[in-house]
Amino acid sequence: QVRLVESGGGSVQVGGSLRLSCVASGDIHNIPCMAWYRQAPGKERRVAARVYESGSTIYTDTVRGRFTISRDVAKNALYLQANSLTPGDTAMYYCAAERICGNPDYAIWGQGTQVTVSS
């Protein structure tokens, strides 16, 4: 059974950077997509970035150009480099192993890591 553990969250000032990590225990080689979702207080959980098995990536408009998602299959790891952070990026960030790409109902979730950006 796959288990995901995130790390790397924290509190930073506007313009700062964080690198989030997600390490999977269990076999994720057959998982077609890995993604980072985020959920701000009082809002729905939404995808921030996704990486496909092919290596292709997608980003939500609000993070494109500032965030970079990457996957290290050999290490069973997923990363999110988040730069030029703004208060709007404050949220709980979740790693997801998507058995069906783009469908969170078929995802395995980590416990989340908090990112707080202050001005």
Side-chain angles (χ1 to χ4, degrees):
Q1 185 172 352
V2 175
R3 181 171 175 260
L4 305 175
V5 179
E6 302 98 330
S7 62
S11 296
V12 296
Q13 293 190 327
V14 170
S17 297
L18 286 172
R19 186 176 190 241
L20 307 184
S21 298
C22 170
V23 177
S25 59
D27 187 4
I28 63 167
H29 289 84
N30 293 325
I31 299 292
C33 285
M34 298 290 294
W36 286 98
Y37 285 71
R38 62 184 187 177
Q39 185 170 20
K43 296 188 177 180
E44 294 182 352
R45 188 179 302 188
R46 295 184 180 274
V47 65
R50 177 179 293 115
V51 57
Y52 293 81
E53 201 169 15
S54 65
S56 298
T57 57
I58 62 161
Y59 298 91
T60 192
D61 288 345
T62 53
V63 309
R64 188 177 297 114
R66 300 186 298 121
F67 289 14
T68 302
I69 188 171
S70 60
R71 179 177 181 178
D72 189 330
V73 176
K75 294 184 178 180
N76 267 9
L78 181 73
Y79 306 101
L80 185 70
Q81 179 66 43
N83 298 330
S84 302
L85 287 162
T86 72
D89 297 315
T90 296
M92 184 71 80
Y93 284 69
Y94 296 91
C95 174
E98 297 180 324
R99 297 186 185 96
I100 298 177
C101 294
N103 192 330
D105 292 339
Y106 290 89
I108 302 166
W109 297 94
Q111 84 289 348
T113 186
Q114 178 68 38
V115 172
T116 302
V117 185
S118 58
S119 56

